[in-house]
Amino acid sequence: QVRLVESGGGLVQAGGSLRLSCAASGSIFVINRMGWYRRAPGKQRELVATITSGGTIYYGDSVKGRFTISRENAKNTVYLQMNSRKPEDTAVYYCNGIYQDLDYWGQGTQVTVSS
């Protein structure tokens, strides 16, 4: 069983920066792929960024050039550095992990960008 716990959400002004963290716990080895998704009010869930244990990274089009994903395999922790925030980045951000072909999700953390 994998448990994912996010931290770092909050309120930030447009143009500001924020860093999210997600730590995985449980009787596990290195999680294959970790990443971030978000759901804005009234919208469908959107992929933000993913990173594999080997370092392959994928970004959603809306965050390319502004967000940076990274991870520490030894800690099974993934980070999301969000720069140049826009009001449309306001959403609940969810951490995701794929381990042994199963999907795991965190509880979500609210990020609000004020204009």
Side-chain angles (χ1 to χ4, degrees), residues 2 4 31 33-35 95-99 102-106:
V2 178
L4 302 175
I31 295 182
R33 194 187 79 173
M34 299 186 77
C95 178
N96 170 261
I98 297 178
Y99 183 69
L102 294 178
D103 256 321
Y104 295 92
W105 294 91

Side-chain angles (χ1 to χ4, degrees), residues 40-91:
K43 295 187 178 181
Q44 291 187 332
R45 187 176 63 195
E46 174 189 18
L47 186 150
V48 176
T50 61
I51 182 169
T52 67
S53 57
T56 299
I57 292 174
Y58 175 84
Y59 290 106
D61 289 339
S62 62
V63 305
K64 284 180 181 176
R66 300 188 298 121
F67 292 8
T68 302
I69 190 170
S70 60
R71 65 182 288 173
E72 293 184 74
N73 286 339
K75 296 181 179 180
N76 273 323
T77 298
V78 63
Y79 307 96
L80 185 69
Q81 178 67 40
M82 304 180 288
N83 298 329
S84 303
R85 299 304 306 275
K86 302 177 181 180
E88 51 264 42
D89 292 324
T90 294

Side-chain angles (χ1 to χ4, degrees), residues 5-12 17-23 35-38 48 67-71 77-83 85 89 91-95 108-112:
V5 179
E6 302 104 336
S7 61
L11 175 65
V12 64
S17 298
L18 201 64
R19 189 194 196 205
L20 303 182
S21 301
C22 172
W36 295 92
Y37 291 73
R38 68 186 182 186
V48 176
F67 292 8
T68 302
I69 190 170
S70 60
R71 65 182 288 173
T77 298
V78 63
Y79 307 96
L80 185 69
Q81 178 67 40
M82 304 180 288
N83 298 329
R85 299 304 306 275
D89 292 324
V92 178
Y93 284 71
Y94 296 91
C95 178
T109 184
Q110 176 70 47
V111 174
T112 302

